[in-house]
Amino acid sequence: MVNYIWVLMFIIGFVYAALTGKMEAVNQAIFKSAEEGVTLCLGLVFILIFWLGMMKIAEEAGLLRVLSRWFKPLLKRLFPDVPENHPAMGYILSNTVANVFGLGNAATPLGIKAMEQLKKLNGNRPVASRSMITLLALNTSGFTLIPTTVIAIRMKYGAASPTDIVGVTILSTACTTIAALIIDRLFYYRRKRKGG
Amino acid sequence: MTWLQTLSVWMIPAVIAIVFVAGTLKRVPTYEAFVEGGKEGFQMAVSIMPYLVGMLVSIGVFRASGAMDALVNLIKPFFSAIGIPAEVVPLALIRPLSGNGALGMMSNILATYGPDSFIGRLASTLQGTTDTTFYIITVYFGAVGIKKIGDSLKIGLLADLVGFICCIVIVTLVFG
């Protein structure tokens, strides 16, 4: 899907430029954009180094474990099919905490581990169980407290106060996550009504 | 809504202070742990570079040819009728498909309209509001061999739509 969109944007641009005689501008855009991709990444290096460094300290200090404990009562309710002391619950908890702190790369392997355990709980069938769908809803709605990369890019383009969007982002992503969980429940009830 | 802006300013320094205090109390070798984590951060930045270069070239051509403006002008009457700036619609469409692609599009919007413009803030918030639905479903279910994904995609995309609407409403209320 991304492949098509990627190619399509270029081809539409190419054809449009051919029709309107803007090929010179397109030519410039190719090289300028490629260069911008590199400078943009270099602009991200400092914040990624700093933030992941901080999070490593947090991890070794056991802060993530403490937070997992706080989230547990809530997550028990969201995943009623998962036994409380099953390893799946542990992975779900750490996946959620990693997401909340904007550690996407750390969250992914934990999420996959959680999926493996949930698959075992579901008799190893290649079918998504209720808990798996809930875990996906939780991950795709992407609740996060600190949008690090966004802040870095805003800084790069000279925002007066690059972090001024943090508050609205938290509010907006919280609404989205709540909505995702409600939608997930509604679909679950619909499935239950249909299939018993 | 000033409390929201106060929260924005306090959030990051407070988290850092908590991490430092907790790390020191737990006798973590803070500086060494920081360096170790920082190396991962460097690798991460390098690994997203090809994604950004690729996506920015395509978007750059699309915009420079004038096709982007034509598209935005075409859909503008419809979206502005319901209070949505047409300029962020392409970003909302690519967000569930590719996280780094959306990052490229967001930075293109910031470069064009400025990070402190309403559209720039809306784009920044939109980027942080949801995650890449298709990518997450592919990776999580692909890794453990789930063939029947049930309602997952529907739920993810519906939530993305809700997120887009929430984002517009909230950003309009605070910065509009």
Side-chain angles (χ1 to χ4, degrees), chain B residues 41-82:
Chain B
F42 184 73
Q43 278 160 9
M44 198 192 285
V46 173
S47 72
I48 62 174
M49 205 178 273
Y51 292 96
L52 277 181
V53 170
M55 196 48 82
L56 280 174
V57 168
S58 220
I59 296 169
V61 168
F62 191 57
R63 197 184 276 283
S65 69
M68 174 84 97
D69 287 336
L71 175 74
V72 167
N73 283 332
L74 194 71
I75 58 175
K76 202 165 203 160
F78 173 69
F79 282 98
S80 42
I82 45 176

Side-chain angles (χ1 to χ4, degrees), chain A residues 1-2 5-6 9-10 12-14 16-17 20 22 25-26 29-30 33-34 36-38 40-42 44-45 48-58 60-61 63 95 105 107-108 111-112 115-116 119 125-128 132-133 136-137 139-142 144-147 149-151 153-154 157-161 163-173 175-176 179-180 183-184 187 190-191, chain B residues 3-4 7-9 11-12 15-16 18-20 22-23 26 28-30 33-34 36-38 40-42 44-45 48-49 52-62 64-67 70 94 97-98 103 105-107 110-111 115-116 120-121 124-125 127-131 133 136-137 139-141 143-152 154-156 158-160 162-163 166-167 170-171 174-175:
Chain A
M1 193 80 146
V2 182
I5 292 183
W6 188 53
M9 277 197 298
F10 186 92
I12 292 176
F14 177 75
Y16 200 89
T20 53
K22 279 197 170 170
V26 164
I30 293 173
S33 308
E36 190 162 347
V38 174
L40 195 62
C41 273
L42 293 178
L44 290 179
V45 169
L48 287 175
I49 289 182
F50 182 73
W51 197 246
L52 285 165
M54 289 315 289
M55 283 302 125
K56 193 79 186 175
I57 304 176
E60 291 195 4
L63 276 177
N95 167 261
N105 280 29
T108 309
I112 292 171
M115 281 294 172
E116 269 170 13
K119 197 183 175 196
R125 286 180 295 145
V127 182
M132 290 179 180
I133 296 174
L136 271 191
N139 271 282
T140 57
S141 58
T144 183
L145 282 179
I146 300 175
T149 15
V150 174
I151 294 171
I153 292 181
R154 291 178 60 74
Y157 287 107
S161 168
T163 56
D164 62 3
I165 47 91
V166 173
V168 284
T169 303
I170 295 176
L171 201 61
S172 167
T173 181
C175 291
T176 310
I183 295 169
D184 173 54
F187 270 99
R190 201 182 73 150
R191 280 199 302 273
Chain B
W3 61 273
L4 214 52
L7 178 72
S8 297
V9 176
M11 188 78 204
I12 293 169
V15 168
I16 295 171
I18 292 168
V19 169
F20 273 147
K26 291 273 178 171
V28 172
T30 40
F34 174 82
E36 203 187 311
E40 283 172 39
F42 184 73
M44 198 192 285
I48 62 174
M49 205 178 273
L52 277 181
V53 170
M55 196 48 82
L56 280 174
V57 168
S58 220
I59 296 169
V61 168
F62 191 57
S65 69
I94 208 165
L97 291 169
S98 161
L103 204 62
M105 195 166 274
M106 182 202 95
S107 42
L110 295 193
D116 293 320
R121 281 179 169 144
S124 309
T125 310
Q127 176 71 16
T129 295
T130 64
D131 215 321
T133 302
I136 291 180
I137 289 180
V139 169
Y140 281 26
F141 279 168
V144 298
I146 297 294
K147 302 256 157 51
K148 290 195 173 151
I149 65 166
D151 298 321
S152 307
K154 273 179 264 173
I155 296 170
L158 270 175
D160 287 338
V162 174
C166 285
C167 179
I170 293 168
V171 175
V174 177
F175 294 115

Side-chain angles (χ1 to χ4, degrees), chain A residues 48-153:
Chain A
L48 287 175
I49 289 182
F50 182 73
W51 197 246
L52 285 165
M54 289 315 289
M55 283 302 125
K56 193 79 186 175
I57 304 176
E59 194 190 317
E60 291 195 4
L63 276 177
L64 298 189
R65 241 173 302 131
V66 173
L67 285 166
S68 296
R69 229 173 292 145
W70 290 355
F71 278 88
K72 200 168 180 178
L74 183 72
L75 284 174
K76 252 181 8 200
R77 251 164 235 242
L78 290 178
F79 296 93
D81 291 353
V82 182
E84 192 177 325
N85 289 319
H86 194 274
M89 191 52 101
Y91 285 124
I92 292 172
L93 282 166
S94 24
N95 167 261
T96 309
V97 171
N99 270 324
V100 167
F101 285 89
L103 299 168
N105 280 29
T108 309
L110 294 166
I112 292 171
K113 286 269 176 209
M115 281 294 172
E116 269 170 13
Q117 295 294 334
L118 290 176
K119 197 183 175 196
K120 271 186 203 159
L121 271 178
N122 200 27
N124 269 324
R125 286 180 295 145
V127 182
S129 67
R130 177 194 176 183
S131 308
M132 290 179 180
I133 296 174
T134 308
L135 183 62
L136 271 191
L138 203 57
N139 271 282
T140 57
S141 58
F143 182 76
T144 183
L145 282 179
I146 300 175
T148 16
T149 15
V150 174
I151 294 171
I153 292 181

